[in-house]
Amino acid sequence: MNKTPKSIMKEVFGYDEFRENQLDIINSTLNKEDAIVVMPTGSGKSLCYQIPSLIFDGLTVVVSPLISLMKDQVEQLREVGIKAVFLNSSLTYEAYEENIQTIRNNSSRLLYVAPETLFQPRILDLLDSIKVDCFTIDEAHCISEWGHDFRPEYRKLSQIREDFPDSVFTAFTATATPIVQKDMIRSLNLNEAKQFISSFDRKNLFLEVVNKNDPLTQTVDFINRFPNQSGLIYCFSRRQVDELYQTLNENGYSVKPYHAGLSDIVRHKNQELFIRDDIQIIVATIAFGMGINKPNIRFVVHYDVPKNIESYYQQIGRAGRDGLNSHCLLLFGYGDIGKIKYFFKDKTDNELKIAYNQLDSILNFSETEECRRKPLLNYFGEEYEQDNCKMCDNCLQDKKEQINLTIPVQKFLSCMKRTGEMFGVHHIILVLRGSKDKKVLNRNHDKISTYGIGADISNKQWNFLARQLIRKKIIIPDEQYGSLKLTSQAWEILKNETEFFGLWQEETRKKKAFVSTDYDTNLFELLRSKRKQIADERNVPPYVIFSDKTLIDICVHYPQSNDSLLKIHGVGQFKIEKYSNAFLPIIIEYCLEKNISEKQNVKLVKLPKTGIKKRRFEEVGEMYNSGKSISELRQHYQVKSQTIYTHLTLFVQSGNELRKGILTESSLSDEDRKQVVTQFNELGFEALSPIFYALKERIGYDEIKIMKIALLNGELNTE
Ligand code: ADP
Ligand code: ZN
C-alpha cells in the first residue's frame, strides 16, 4: 500500500483536511529535520508525530510526562487500529515484558515513555538494538525552570539527541511564553531545528467576564444552559470547592469535587467519572486539569478570579479541544483580588513586583472594553488585529452611548468622603441605599447626609457605576483592605469642575449558549447512550469510541450505509469495522420512523479553524534584519518605538538571530547601562516594570527595552 500522510489522515483518522502547519510538520519529520512545535491545546499536535510513525520503518519514541496521558493516547490509537504501547510503573510485570517484546520485534509503531523509564539502562540498550526513526518530546516545556511544570528529569533529554544521531527529534508544547520557548530550544540542544509556532488564539472559545454579585445564582443560571454537557468550575480555595460542590450536589446537579486535599483515590475516581461522562461537572482548584485529554468540555467557569493570565489561559484551554464552540465565563469580583493579594504578604520585594505585574494582566483582561482577545493574546506576545472577534462579550455588545452621570457619581463620591474613605464599594452602596444593616447602624452611618440619597438606584446599577469609577481611576481601592480612596479627578467632579460621562445600567447580555444545536438532538441522545454503553463495556472513555463532533456530524447527515458513514468526520475504515454494526441500525431505524433520508450536502455550521499566521514579531524582526531602521519600522507600522522593541524582543526570545547594532538607538551613559544590566541580572528578564521601579523610574521603558534586546542578542557584557 502506498501510504501518504494524506491517505493516512483520511483512512485511519477519518479527517479530510490537515489543519495549518500539520502537513509541514509531518513532511519535515519525514525528511528527518528536527522541529520545535508550539501550538495551542486542541490544535492537533499528536497527529504530527503519529502520522510519520506509520510511514517510518522504525520505531517512534514519544516522551511524555504523565502516565494518564500515555494511557489515553495509546487507547485512542488502538481504537483506530494503530499498534502503540507504553512503558511505565503502572503496568504489571507481564504486561511490561510483553510490551518490551513488541518493541524488540518491531510490531509496535509507537512507544510512549516517561523520561525516568527512558533513561533506564535496559531501555536505552533496547532502543540501541533496534531502529528508532523518531524521538518526540511531548509537553517539552517541562524542561524549563521558567515554566509552570518543570520536571528535572527532562533536563537529561538533550543527551538523547547525541546518542541517537540517526533519529529525527521533534519537541511539542502548548506553552506560549517566549522565554520558556527559548529555554526549551536551548536545553534540548535543538538550535538547528525548524520552528513551527502557531497563533494562540483559540477561536472556538467564547470569552465572557461578568461582575460577580451573586456567584452561586450566576453559576447555576449559566450551567443550566448546558444540559447534559461537560464543564469545569474553578475555585480559588479547597473550602470554596467543597462548599460549591455540596450546594450543587444537593440541588441535583451531576457534579464531583477535585482538589489536593482529597485522597489520591477519590481524586482519581472523580476524574475518571468525569472523563467517562458519568458525571457532568467537576468543581476544582487549579490542581485539576493536567493530564486531561477530554475533548468535549463545553464550558469553564471561573468562580473566582484566577491569579494570572497564564493560568486562566491554561484552564479555559481545556474547553473545546474538539473544535466545537465552548463557553468560558469569569466571575469578576474585587473581593477576589484582595484574596489573591493576601498571599503576597510572604513574598520578597522582587517576587512582589512580579506578582503585581501578573495581577495587573488579569485586571487588564477583565476590565477591558475592547475585544478580550487583545489583552489575552498580547500577554503572549501576539497582536490581535481583528476589530471584532464575534466570540467575546465585548465584541457582541453594541457600543452604548455614554451619558452624563455626574449627579449619581457625586452622590457616590460624597458618601465615600463622609465615611472617611474607609469603606469598600459594598458598604458605600448600603449607606447610599439607606440600608438598616448592622454594619451601617453600628457606625452611625444612618445619621450622615448621604444616607439613603441613592435609594432609587438599584444595587446592581450602583455596582456597575462603581466599577466604571474604578476602571477610570477616579477612585482607587486600597490594595490591602479594599477601602476606596478619592483621587484628584474625583475631587474635580465633586467640586463641579468636571463632568462624568459613562454607561448607565448594565447591559442585559444576550443569554445565548455558544454551542451550536443545529443538529438532531434526539438522534444525538440515542447515539450518545449507545456510545456510553460500548465505552463502559470496553472500559474506555466514550470519546475514544467516537467524538461528540462525529456524533453531531451523523445527526446532520443521517448516513445509512457504511459508505456514507465513512464520509463522516472522524470515521476511518477501522472504526467502520468495529462500530458500524452497533450504530448504523440505530440511525436506520430512527430515520425510518421519522421518514428521514440521507442528507449529502448539508454543511455543518462552519466551525472556526485554528488560524495560524506568521506572527507580527517575525515580520518585524525580518524587516529589521533586512536593514530597516527603528524609525522606518515605526513609520511603516504606525506604532510607538516601544512596540517595535517589544517585537524585536520576542523575535530574539524565539531563538532568532537579530542584526547587531541596536545599541545605537540608546542614549544611556555607560554608567546607566551598567546599572540596567545589574538589575536584569538580579531581577531576571520576565517583566520590565520591576526593573523600571528598581531604577527609581529614572530610565524609560524604551531604554530598558533596548538594553534587554542587546543583552538577549549578546551585544552586551552581562558582567
Ligand atoms: P493537542 O495535543 O494539540 O492538544 P490533539 O492532538 O489532542 O491536540 O488534537 C485535538 C483533537 O483534534 C483530537 O480529537 C484530534 O483527533 C483532532 N484533530 C487533529 N487534527 C485534526 C484535523 N486535521 N482535522 C480534524 N480533527 C483533527
Ligand atoms: Zn472579541
Side-chain angles (χ1 to χ4, degrees), residues 590-597 599:
Y590 181 88
C591 291
L592 261 177
E593 197 181 301
K594 305 243 153 142
N595 203 10
I596 300 172
S597 51
K599 305 221 182 330

Side-chain angles (χ1 to χ4, degrees), residues 73-86:
Q73 292 247 346
V74 167
E75 270 171 6
Q76 295 200 43
L77 286 169
R78 288 185 183 163
E79 282 304 315
V80 293
I82 298 175
K83 292 232 175 70
V85 294
F86 61 85

